[in-house]
């Protein structure tokens, strides 16, 4: 009985899967890249326009994982992610979440990050180095 309770709690905490596979991370990254050039809308959870956290959340949700926090402020305490040591592209993996207080983007490989920037710029792809100038200081990896 306890094992069933632990399993149920894990599903509630981590979404529809107990962990995210590399294939799901790749799927999330592929989906988010299709949104480059799209529009930004703050606090929009349903598309077609997204803010930064909803863009990352939808990328993982379409890949079968809905356990991410709905806002950027939930990442530091979320059980769905863990902090990676270092912030260089050499330590990043596809699907990693680049975080700064109040903003997130997703590492999509090849030294590139996709994020929903602001209402004027919309959804953009940047190099990790140019994204770094915005002040991101943490890399989170989805469990």
């Amino acid at each position: 009985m306890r094992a069933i309770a632990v399993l149920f709690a894990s599903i509630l905490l981590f979404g529809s899967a107990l962990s995210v596979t590399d294939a799901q991370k790749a799927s999330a990254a592929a989906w988010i890249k299709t949104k480059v050039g799209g529009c930004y809308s703050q606090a929009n959870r349903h598309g077609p326009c997204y803010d930064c956290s909803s863009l990352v959340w939808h990328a993982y949700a379409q890949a079968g994982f809905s356990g991410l926090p709905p806002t950027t402020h939930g990442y530091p305490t979320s059980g769905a992610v863990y902090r990676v040591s270092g912030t260089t592209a050499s330590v990043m993996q596809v699907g990693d979440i680049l975080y700064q207080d109040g903003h997130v983007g997703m590492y999509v490989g090849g030294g590139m990050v996709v994020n929903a920037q602001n209402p004027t710029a919309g959804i953009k792809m940047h190099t990790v180095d140019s994204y770094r100038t915005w002040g991101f200081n943490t890399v989170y990896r989805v469990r």
Side-chain angles (χ1 to χ4, degrees):
M1 185 65 160
R2 184 175 187 314
I4 292 172
V6 169
L7 176 62
F8 183 70
S10 297
I11 290 170
L12 288 177
L13 177 63
F14 295 113
S16 59
L18 296 178
S19 64
V20 177
T21 66
D22 288 343
Q24 286 174 299
K25 292 175 184 180
S27 176
W31 182 89
I32 208 169
K33 287 193 291 188
T34 70
K35 301 305 174 188
V36 171
C39 53
Y40 177 99
S41 178
Q42 189 167 0
N44 188 357
R45 296 276 170 241
H46 305 291
C49 300
Y50 302 93
D51 67 6
C52 64
S53 57
S54 66
L55 180 67
V56 171
W57 188 91
H58 276 277
Y60 271 101
Q62 68 76 36
F65 180 76
S66 58
L68 290 179
T71 67
T72 58
H73 301 293
Y75 280 90
T77 58
S78 172
V81 299
Y82 65 94
R83 188 175 183 158
V84 175
S85 179
T87 60
T88 62
S90 64
V91 301
M92 294 178 195
Q93 295 178 8
V94 169
D96 281 352
I97 299 164
L98 283 61
Y99 174 89
Q100 67 186 48
D101 188 33
H103 192 75
V104 292
M106 182 187 291
Y107 182 71
V108 295
M112 304 302 286
V113 179
V114 172
N115 74 314
Q117 193 167 332
N118 59 48
T120 303
I123 300 170
K124 298 287 185 185
M125 187 179 303
H126 308 273
T127 66
V128 169
D129 289 338
S130 68
Y131 193 71
R132 187 179 314 284
T133 64
W134 296 17
F136 96 85
N137 58 8
T138 307
V139 176
Y140 286 112
R141 187 159 296 146
V142 180
R143 296 184 185 273

